[in-house]
Amino acid sequence: MMGVTGPITDDQADKPLSIDEEYDLWKSNVPLMYDFVSETRLTWPSLTVEWQPGQDPSSRQHMVIGTHTSGEEQNYLKIASIELPDEILPEQSTSSSDRTTKSNIKISRKFKHEEEVIRARYMPQDTNIIATINGKGTVYIYDQSMDQTDGLKLTLDYHKQNGYGLSFNSNDEGKLLSGSDDTTVALWDVTGKLLAPISVWTESHSDIVNDCKWHEFDLNIFGSASEDLTLKLHDQRIRDSVTCTIKSKEPFNTLSFSRHSKYLFAAAGTNSLVYLYDARNPSKVLHTMPGHEGSVTNLEFSSKEDGILVSSGDDRRVIMWDLAEIGAEQAPDDADDGAPEVMMIHAGHRSSVNDFSISPNIPWLIASTEEENIIQVWKCSNKLPRVGGFVNVDDSMLE
């Protein structure tokens, strides 16, 4: 596992480090832990970030971000670009020693947006189409290819309160889910000009819907996570359907379906734990993963690497999990640092992590955004066995 490491004096061991001290310690260890780190300070914080796919693995990559202004300034949906060093691109060497943090994210295009951008997600079948949801629950559909400078294609009004859930169906073009504090989940078809939901789940949850995601294999199944202590699976063909209910003692904040296994999905919430489930027996937790020290707010399975799950939360951490390491034997010192499946802890943020995105183009590249106006782009070190493509073997095992 890689995390914050370095010499600690007796005085330091007796008291917890301040946030600034933790950041300085992390920064001093960047050359050991990463192949690349970029840190950019924005004018306003972004509550959302998502890499745009469909580009060659070239040095310039693009992402979707937004603004959360004071309310007196105009908000924008933004397309940002970053120039990456050749050393971290596929088929290139990662021996460069230039891994220091630098600010090199540039805004290439922006669109006016009503209220803050809570979430922004592109449509997999046409990445020019971007959906957003704001603090009033209004959903907007933008088209980057439109000649009009504002790019706004549709305004979808249904939700009455703030919304965090937003998910396009990767197997059913144009189908968009939105979840809201008003306890409902709405299903939209953005391929035409329909301004009303084609279906609404009004009875499934009795409290805030924190997240909703489509299944990655079954085009009809989606999940929703709620403050009412339940995670539920639904079938889009049946209004107000609930095919499965998972109950917890704490609210669920987020969920994610594996992109490599049709049965595996994960969920997490306010109790700091990440749960794994098997869809064939979802009433029983498959495995519980401790590692965060606060509420977990985002989960995402890697599309490229089977068994890699990433989480982020209010504890200012982004954790990369390697599910292949579950149950692996550990030395006592390693066990003190965390479970064997904790592959790496990114500890470079100084405030809660709002969102993160795993690059679909560059292996192991992640963008993460925090409350204090910062976006970081980082790639963990090639020295990690899973990243470098080799396995560490204990010499004693060969005797």
Side-chain angles (χ1 to χ4, degrees):
M1 181 189 76
M2 277 193 165
V4 177
T5 59
I8 298 178
T9 66
D10 291 339
D11 289 341
Q12 288 176 319
D14 292 337
K15 63 179 181 179
L17 298 177
S18 69
I19 292 176
D20 288 339
E21 288 172 336
E22 281 190 4
Y23 176 83
D24 289 340
L25 180 58
W26 166 81
K27 193 170 182 179
S28 70
N29 283 280
V30 163
L32 300 174
M33 299 163 57
Y34 302 85
D35 286 336
F36 173 76
V37 175
S38 168
E39 182 173 275
T40 300
R41 177 169 291 277
L42 306 171
T43 304
W44 300 102
S46 178
L47 302 180
T48 185
V49 62
E50 187 175 36
W51 291 105
Q52 289 196 292
Q55 307 149 33
D56 293 330
S58 61
S59 60
R60 175 169 290 187
Q61 296 292 304
H62 300 270
M63 67 183 78
V64 179
I65 62 174
T67 63
H68 182 197
T69 71
S70 63
E72 298 178 357
E73 303 287 338
Q74 175 67 50
N75 279 286
Y76 291 94
L77 170 68
K78 296 182 176 182
I79 309 300
S81 63
I82 183 171
E83 290 288 343
L84 301 172
D86 291 340
E87 289 81 5
I88 74 165
L89 301 180
E91 309 303 326
Q92 300 291 331
S93 168
T94 57
S95 60
S96 171
S97 60
D98 182 17
R99 297 167 185 168
T100 56
T101 57
K102 61 184 78 173
S103 174
N104 58 357
I105 290 179
K106 308 295 183 185
I107 304 302
S108 56
R109 196 173 181 190
K110 63 182 182 179
F111 308 97
K112 288 184 178 181
H113 192 272
E114 190 68 27
E115 302 285 335
E116 67 270 41
V117 183
I118 301 292
R119 280 288 181 269
R121 296 292 184 257
Y122 67 84
M123 187 169 76
Q125 296 83 0
D126 182 354
T127 57
N128 282 315
I129 305 300
I130 300 172
T132 68
I133 191 167
N134 71 8
K136 293 183 177 179
T138 306
V139 176
Y140 299 98
I141 306 299
Y142 289 84
D143 186 345
Q144 295 183 80
S145 67
M146 290 175 63
D147 293 333
Q148 294 94 323
T149 56
D150 64 3
L152 186 59
K153 180 182 178 182
L154 296 172
T155 299
L156 307 177
D157 282 314
Y158 170 76
H159 295 298
K160 307 304 180 186
Q161 298 177 40
N162 174 66
Y164 273 97
L166 201 64
S167 177
F168 271 111
N169 193 323
S170 60
N171 299 297
D172 193 356
E173 183 174 355
K175 294 296 181 63
L176 174 70
L177 292 171
S178 59
S180 168
D181 288 5
D182 64 10
T183 77
T184 69
V185 177
L187 172 62
W188 312 85
D189 184 349
V190 304
T191 57
K193 297 183 179 180
L194 187 65
L195 299 181
I198 58 176
S199 192
V200 179
W201 280 256
T202 59
E203 304 297 330
S204 297
H205 291 292
S206 59
D207 208 333
I208 292 169
V209 176
N210 288 320
D211 199 7
C212 51
K213 299 271 181 64
W214 286 105
H215 196 277
E216 295 292 339
F217 292 89
D218 190 326
L219 62 84
N220 292 309
I221 301 302
F222 69 90
S224 56
S226 174
E227 293 279 331
D228 66 6
L229 315 185
T230 68
L231 182 152
K232 297 189 177 184
L233 302 184
H234 315 266
D235 189 320
Q236 70 158 319
R237 296 166 296 185
I238 307 171
R239 183 187 296 269
D240 264 330
S241 66
V242 176
T243 62
C244 172
T245 297
I246 298 172
K247 296 181 180 180
S248 174
K249 294 181 180 179
E250 300 288 340
F252 284 104
N253 287 330
T254 181
L255 75 155
S256 182
F257 292 96
S258 171
R259 304 185 184 192
H260 295 270
S261 168
K262 63 181 179 180
Y263 300 119
L264 180 64
F265 64 98
T270 59
N271 68 354
S272 79
L273 300 173
V274 176
Y275 298 99
L276 299 179
Y277 295 94
D278 185 329
R280 292 167 293 187
N281 186 19
S283 61
K284 182 179 179 181
V285 177
L286 189 65
H287 185 65
T288 302
M289 302 193 299
H292 283 283
E293 297 179 357
S295 181
V296 182
T297 52
N298 297 285
L299 286 172
E300 183 180 348
F301 276 98
S302 171
S303 61
K304 289 186 173 293
E305 301 291 336
D306 190 5
I308 297 298
L309 175 67
V310 182
S311 60
S312 66
D314 292 344
D315 60 355
R316 313 187 309 279
R317 301 292 189 260
V318 181
I319 299 181
M320 188 177 295
W321 311 83
D322 184 354
L323 306 189
E325 294 297 315
I326 291 175
E329 292 187 10
Q330 288 180 292
D333 289 345
D334 291 337
D336 291 339
D337 292 334
E341 59 268 28
V342 177
M343 176 178 163
M344 178 178 177
I345 299 176
H346 175 65
H349 289 291
R350 285 179 283 188
S351 60
S352 298
V353 179
N354 292 325
D355 198 13
F356 69 87
S357 178
I358 306 170
S359 171
N361 305 317
I362 310 297
W364 305 104
L365 186 70
I366 292 179
S368 48
T369 177
E370 65 174 279
E371 288 186 357
E372 295 298 329
N373 301 32
I374 296 293
I375 284 187
Q376 293 180 345
V377 175
W378 48 279
K379 179 181 179 293
C380 51
S381 174
N382 198 52
K383 296 175 183 177
L384 282 170
R386 183 69 186 263
V387 178
F390 59 89
V391 177
N392 284 329
V393 178
D394 187 340
D395 290 342
S396 64
M397 297 174 63
L398 304 178
E399 296 178 356

